[in-house]
Amino acid sequence: MQTRVAPYGAAGWNEKARIVEELFSKKSGPPFLYNDVLFIVPSSRLRRTYGRLFLDIMERTSRSHALVQPEVQTLHLFLQRLSAKAGGPALIDENSRLVLLEGIVKSCITGKGAFGNTPDILAPSLSAAVADMIEELSASGISSEQLTGAAAMSEVSDKPQVKLLMEAYGAYEHILAARGLADPAGMLAHLADQFDPSWLSSYSTIIIDGLHDASELQVRVLRKIAGHHDCTFLVDAPSPDSIRNAGDYHPLRLVKELLARLGLMVGEAAASSATDDSYLADALFSAGSFDDAAKKAPSSFRKDLRLLSAITMREEVSFIAGEVKRSLLAGMPPDSILVAFPSLDEYGPLAEELFTDFGIPYNRALGRQLSTSPVTTAVVSLLSSCREDFSGPSLLRIFSSPFLKFGEAPSLAPALARLMAERRITGGRHKLLTALKRSSPEAAGPDVLTEPLGDLFAALEPFSAKDPASLTVWMDRLSSLLSWSGLSGRVTLIKGPLNRNLQAYKKLAGTLASLRQAGNLFPEYSYTFSEWLFLLKKTFMHARFQVPPDDEGGVQILGMEESIGYAWQEIYLGGLMDGAFPRRLPQNIFLPEATLEALGVRTLENARLNAASHFYRLLLSAPRVTLTWPENVGDKPIVPSPFLAELTPLRKAGVITEASNVQFSLKVGDSRSIPELAKALSLAGDIAGLEKVLDSDLEGMAGISAGLDYKPSETPGTLGTRERTEFSVTELDDYLKCPYDYYVKRLLRISPLEEVSEDISALDRGSKAHAILRRFYEEWKGPVTAGNRDKARELLAAFADREFGYEADTFRNRREKDLFVTVMAERFLDAEAVLWRQGFRPAYLEKKIESFKLALTDGTIVEIHGKIDRIDVDDNGNFIIVDYKTGGYPLPLMTAEQEIFQLPVYAVMALQTLTDKDPVLRRSIGLAYYDLAGKNKGPTRDVVLYNKEALVDQPSTKPKASPRSAADFEAILTMSIDSARRAVEGIVAGDFPSTPQDENRCRYCPNEMMCGKQDS
Ligand code: SF4
């Protein structure tokens, strides 16, 4: 086999076109049969690009399209085809492999001390990690026997996770062999052993293009292919020397090593790089100093290189879309522009949205996660609803999905929302049915809900079974559910080959069939409903579906792998963030990197070099290259990709243009899309001559005109604070923390959109902890002691099971519950044991106080409401206000002025309103937070302020600031009421300045831009 080195970009692509022309020229007239030529490429996209190149060349050289094209195969599919010829064991599909490994891992860890007795919690994530590790080991040709040998030589052989890996790998190999199956690595190993050169005899020429790395087993097979008498290996690199001289950290090290492993010499340069590219090739990832590299810049450097950072991802993609549009208007052919992102799944939807807004024709690399399709989410909603005991949001999702049978009755979702609001329920099968039974027909109108809800509950009944069942049983149940749901009929109502939902449905059907097949293959493994649903969701996340293109024209929005090949004129490489490029891989939990490296497994290093080689290639692949990264994602600042440091010599030589803080302009004249124009016009007001534009029949103009003509109905002049006479303690606390923030949050009711997630929020976690602890003391009577602590723990765990059981079964939610049971509940019990010994008992739980009267300075009386988590009382009527906290809380200050506001106000309110109750409250002597999560690293029961004359030493994080004389303590209570009065008067007066109690608060505040704090 010979090696030819082709430079990146147009020079290299032209050279490849020349090689094809040379091949075609061997036939001077028809018939043009070239199927004796084989091209092997790494991606389907390059395969299609070659297909187009053949037609172009044919048309140019022979003015004909009548040819039998050379065969172009991706390496992966070609090896699969060869292995079919080699006979041997059948290839196990990806889903069956996951099912097998999950079953093996679960049986390995069940009952083992190191992993506890809860394999249903650990198995899914552990099995995924084991599956990845086994895949890496087997792809590198390491058998379980070799692994055991290597582990025995290291110091980690007796670690539980290493034993688990060895045991699982051994069982995996054994089961595959016993069933006559092979995984992809086994298939390659068999192929390498049985390879017969005669399989290639129908090819006169073989060309391998675009490979820059291969696994050990692929290399073994490629070596056999290289034995063909006319085989050429095309390598993309600036020059043969750049490969030969590649050091350990250079991106071309992978190619250099691949050639060595294939037993090939570096070979001849097929064409040489331009001067600018030769300079760049030497300067980037250079082993020498940046200064030396900078000095070698040619004075005539003409390449247009730019590095820009935008304030957000949206601004970043808007900037790219704007630049692309400008180039297109200047006459640049769309398909010569590449827009690439290291994580296309993250950027793809945003890029599609903005490119559509900008009117840019584009082609996005195909393949979308099946789990993101609305067709799949409709199926998952049905199942999740059953697990969440038919919560309100899950039912609304089902009733409003256009893909389920209820899609024909659009009135259902509003009727359900109305019922829940009126009856103040948040869902739940029993509660809903009871509410429906009790609804009076006159008040509620016709009952449209009972029948569909009953129908839904009956259809989901099989999924409420508690017992584990085999995968096949669960898949049968799902198949009946899908027939009932009408999914297939509703999806097929939407016509057209490019219908995304139809394609997603087809993939969904294929994925479910493959899971059923896995169930048939391994009937011995069983799953609870939650485990099965987790497996289903995980499979949907891995599966990808494609929308078949009728045309791949337009600006190319691609991932890294797909961007190989073709002569790009402009390249935009976005999303260059640390952690995403190179992608931060999880550390493997099984073996030290040194042990893996000795075995030839270099996952982390290879991932870094792979990303580096794409970065290097793209910078050298077009005359105009723009690199971008967002400065923030959500509210988090971003660190740019470490590869950008490689641009230092270019910076020093002044051959790269840089800018930061890029954001789109809101000037009407700068608008590049209809949404930008609409935003600009909404700010600009009336503009002379605009009617002409708005009256044109351009798409989107009618919408803008209607928007500008819209006159909002009369709104009340004030937010009505002046008339208010009732306030809650929490809102007063918010006002004191920052009046402006109070105004935005409580009066305008604006809050940042929350990420849609099945994970419970910090707020939900707090509510659950509160509910569990309240229920504990409703049931538990008497002190907590060492003797009954196990019982108390069991009771808390049972309440936790129930509270957290309503939530989705996600990894984080399991962790939240685990955190409650193992940390918060234990800390709580520690505190309770001490409390009872001090003569206090929890007397009031979640006590509502609704009639506390507060006189304002002008004599007006207002009412303050509040709910106190707990009041602990002793036999003399002395009491301590208690507040449970799962997050942070204010600590006491040495001064009389305190940031702690709610607790002292509660103390005064309780004293005034609970004097005639049993037990009676006579004197407030302490204020305590329960630091359930241990945020302050002090005691759980943190008595933040107390009367030291009435209480002996109390547990406290601030032992100097917490104890106060009786007079000081009383003064703090009085001052808190003064603060409450000040807050009420501020709200009533409509006084909302941006004066936070603590300036640190502004650092994480979403209002920073609005309140003017950012500019101060
Ligand atoms: S940024 Fe600071 S001053 Fe502005 S609203 Fe937020 S907390 Fe208040």
Side-chain angles (χ1 to χ4, degrees), residues 648-728:
T648 308
L650 314 186
R651 202 170 280 138
K652 289 186 176 232
V655 296
I656 185 165
T657 314
E658 294 186 78
S660 59
N661 259 312
V662 171
Q663 52 187 309
F664 63 73
S665 152
L666 285 170
K667 287 190 197 138
V668 174
D670 293 346
S671 306
R672 299 155 302 180
S673 69
I674 298 294
E676 278 189 15
L677 178 62
K679 271 183 220 162
L681 286 176
S682 70
L683 292 177
D686 278 348
I687 292 187
L690 190 67
E691 312 76 47
K692 260 193 179 169
V693 182
L694 294 178
D695 290 345
S696 68
D697 59 357
L698 284 174
E699 200 186 333
M701 289 305 151
I704 298 181
S705 296
L708 289 173
D709 291 343
Y710 175 74
K711 295 280 170 288
S713 53
E714 279 300 294
T715 48
T718 74
L719 288 160
T721 52
R722 216 170 282 282
E723 295 79 33
R724 286 190 59 195
T725 54
E726 293 180 19
F727 301 84
S728 73

Side-chain angles (χ1 to χ4, degrees), residues 321 325 328 353-362 672-674:
K325 188 163 182 174
L328 294 179
E353 179 198 324
L354 289 168
F355 275 55
T356 306
D357 283 352
F358 277 65
I360 298 172
Y362 68 86
R672 299 155 302 180
S673 69
I674 298 294

Side-chain angles (χ1 to χ4, degrees), residues 132 136 578-589 593 602-610:
D132 288 348
E136 282 168 32
D578 187 27
F581 195 56
R583 180 160 293 286
R584 188 171 299 130
L585 298 177
Q587 283 286 339
N588 100 72
I589 55 168
E593 288 302 318
R602 294 183 318 196
T603 316
L604 296 181
E605 179 63 357
N606 274 13
R608 192 193 71 79
L609 282 173
N610 245 311

Side-chain angles (χ1 to χ4, degrees), residues 738 740-741 994 996 1001-1002 1005 1007-1008 1011 1013:
C738 175
Y740 190 92
D741 188 39
S994 43
R1001 202 178 154 74
C1002 304
C1005 180
N1007 308 327
E1008 209 186 14
C1011 74
K1013 221 31 182 181

Side-chain angles (χ1 to χ4, degrees), residues 686-808:
D686 278 348
I687 292 187
L690 190 67
E691 312 76 47
K692 260 193 179 169
V693 182
L694 294 178
D695 290 345
S696 68
D697 59 357
L698 284 174
E699 200 186 333
M701 289 305 151
I704 298 181
S705 296
L708 289 173
D709 291 343
Y710 175 74
K711 295 280 170 288
S713 53
E714 279 300 294
T715 48
T718 74
L719 288 160
T721 52
R722 216 170 282 282
E723 295 79 33
R724 286 190 59 195
T725 54
E726 293 180 19
F727 301 84
S728 73
V729 179
T730 45
E731 74 167 302
L732 300 185
D733 197 12
D734 281 351
Y735 181 89
L736 292 170
K737 281 180 183 146
C738 175
Y740 190 92
D741 188 39
Y742 169 90
Y743 171 74
V744 172
K745 216 161 55 185
R746 298 261 182 176
L747 298 184
L748 299 183
R749 295 176 195 275
I750 299 174
S751 55
L753 282 180
E754 278 186 21
E755 209 175 290
V756 179
S757 157
E758 289 197 307
D759 296 333
I760 57 175
S761 63
L763 203 65
D764 291 340
R765 182 185 58 191
S767 312
K768 286 185 188 306
H770 278 73
I772 296 167
L773 300 184
R774 170 180 51 78
R775 297 187 66 201
F776 173 78
Y777 268 126
E778 280 169 357
E779 185 130 344
W780 184 269
K781 304 294 171 211
V784 174
T785 62
N788 62 16
R789 185 166 170 131
D790 283 350
K791 266 191 141 180
R793 183 182 290 129
E794 271 170 32
L795 191 60
L796 284 169
F799 289 143
D801 275 346
R802 190 156 162 193
E803 270 301 324
F804 286 91
Y806 297 134
E807 299 300 329

Side-chain angles (χ1 to χ4, degrees), residues 43-106:
S43 70
S44 304
R45 193 176 185 288
L46 191 51
R47 187 171 148 246
R48 292 191 291 274
T49 309
Y50 262 116
R52 278 203 303 277
L53 177 72
F54 298 150
L55 289 176
D56 288 351
I57 291 178
M58 201 62 202
E59 181 162 359
R60 189 158 30 88
T61 55
S62 308
R63 305 209 168 279
S64 164
H65 273 151
L67 85 162
V68 175
Q69 293 199 356
E71 207 179 300
V72 192
Q73 294 277 345
T74 62
L75 177 67
H76 177 70
L77 284 180
F78 185 64
L79 296 181
Q80 256 190 34
R81 261 186 44 189
L82 287 186
S83 90
K85 291 187 180 176
L91 181 66
I92 187 171
D93 70 72
E94 191 51 29
N95 288 335
S96 300
R97 203 174 83 84
L98 270 178
V99 165
L100 171 61
L101 277 164
E102 201 151 295
I104 292 175
V105 170
K106 193 170 159 186

Side-chain angles (χ1 to χ4, degrees), residues 1 20 52 87 107 161 195 248 265 360 426 435 443 454 464-465 492 505 517 554 699 766 788 908 930 976 1006:
M1 174 152 69
V20 174
R52 278 203 303 277
S107 55
Q161 70 272 31
F195 192 91
D248 278 357
M265 305 295 285
I360 298 172
T426 55
S464 50
T492 42
Y505 176 71
Q517 194 190 341
E699 200 186 333
N788 62 16
V908 178
Y930 267 48
S976 73

